[in-house]
Amino acid sequence: RLSARVLYCLREHLSETGLEVSWGHLLNEQQQSCSPECDIIVHEQGVVRRWNGFKDPVMNFSFVRASKVRFVVSCKSLLGSVDADYPATLKQFGVPKVFLFAESCDESHVERLRKKAVQSGYAGMWCLYTTNKKNPSLLGTNDGMLIEFGQKMLAAAKPKGQRRTQKAKRRNTPKRK
């Protein structure tokens, strides 16, 4: 499952940040579920509760306070359209960023889907690989898109003050010739 692979990758790359990466639902301050299922939730440490389903699960279904969330990633296997309601639903509970990541999409639809995602309130849309009608299984990967996705995830994980400080440092650092 794509979301599991992205989740494990984010856990590894964010392991020294003090953040957790979970799969589950967001809870409001009254500890009531206030969200649709979230494939990936990057949040400050701690969960209200977990539902494991069985002992030593591969993935724990977690219930996370919405106020602790840094960002959510919605994962799709094959992206053909954008769920315009999903980011608005999460943002009404204080989720600052919602990203869209697909395993695949038709290469002729990538730019349209990326534009639609941003118009719908997502912080961006990326896909692992593209396909087309002649080659529906795999056309190729866009390494630049994957690198951009990783950079956006790492940037979104940083505290707001730290993000501004690093941007200011880049602006004030003289360029090397």
Side-chain angles (χ1 to χ4, degrees):
R1 206 177 133 177
L2 174 69
S3 58
R5 295 186 78 184
V6 174
L7 185 143
Y8 291 139
C9 179
L10 285 171
R11 278 185 182 166
E12 180 181 332
H13 288 284
L14 299 176
S15 65
E16 294 183 7
T17 65
L19 298 174
E20 291 185 38
V21 184
S22 302
W23 158 56
H25 278 287
L26 305 182
L27 299 179
N28 62 19
E29 291 305 316
Q30 293 75 36
Q31 295 190 10
Q32 298 168 327
S33 181
C34 66
S35 75
E37 182 177 331
C38 298
D39 297 314
I40 298 171
I41 308 166
V42 176
H43 58 94
E44 296 169 15
Q45 290 187 354
V47 298
V48 175
R49 61 185 167 274
R50 293 192 194 278
W51 179 79
N52 294 327
F54 53 91
K55 187 178 177 177
D56 299 322
V58 173
M59 292 176 64
N60 291 308
F61 192 89
S62 301
F63 295 88
V64 178
R65 287 187 197 283
S67 61
K68 301 266 186 187
V69 175
R70 291 278 174 86
F71 63 90
V72 168
V73 181
S74 176
C75 295
K76 304 296 178 195
S77 297
L78 174 62
L79 188 64
S81 64
V82 173
D83 178 353
D85 296 331
Y86 189 75
T89 300
L90 296 181
K91 287 182 180 190
Q92 71 182 343
F93 297 103
V95 174
K97 291 186 183 247
V98 181
F99 297 94
L100 180 58
F101 190 77
E103 182 173 355
S104 69
C105 70
D106 188 295
E107 70 174 341
S108 66
H109 299 163
V110 171
E111 289 311 312
R112 176 182 60 80
L113 291 168
R114 290 187 98 181
K115 191 178 290 184
K116 176 68 175 169
V118 171
Q119 289 171 345
S120 299
Y122 290 91
M125 186 286 283
W126 298 266
C127 64
L128 182 60
Y129 63 90
T130 56
T131 61
N132 65 23
K133 288 186 182 6
K134 287 183 182 178
N135 192 351
S137 60
L138 172 67
L139 185 60
T141 58
N142 180 329
D143 292 340
M145 186 183 294
L146 296 176
I147 290 167
E148 179 187 319
F149 175 71
Q151 291 170 336
K152 294 288 185 181
M153 298 300 99
L154 294 175
K158 292 180 182 169
K160 286 183 182 179
Q162 190 175 358
R163 278 183 256 161
R164 278 192 218 110
T165 302
Q166 287 181 348
K167 285 180 184 177
K169 283 181 186 176
R170 283 194 299 264
R171 279 194 304 268
N172 296 328
T173 302
K175 292 184 180 180
R176 293 184 181 176
K177 294 182 180 182

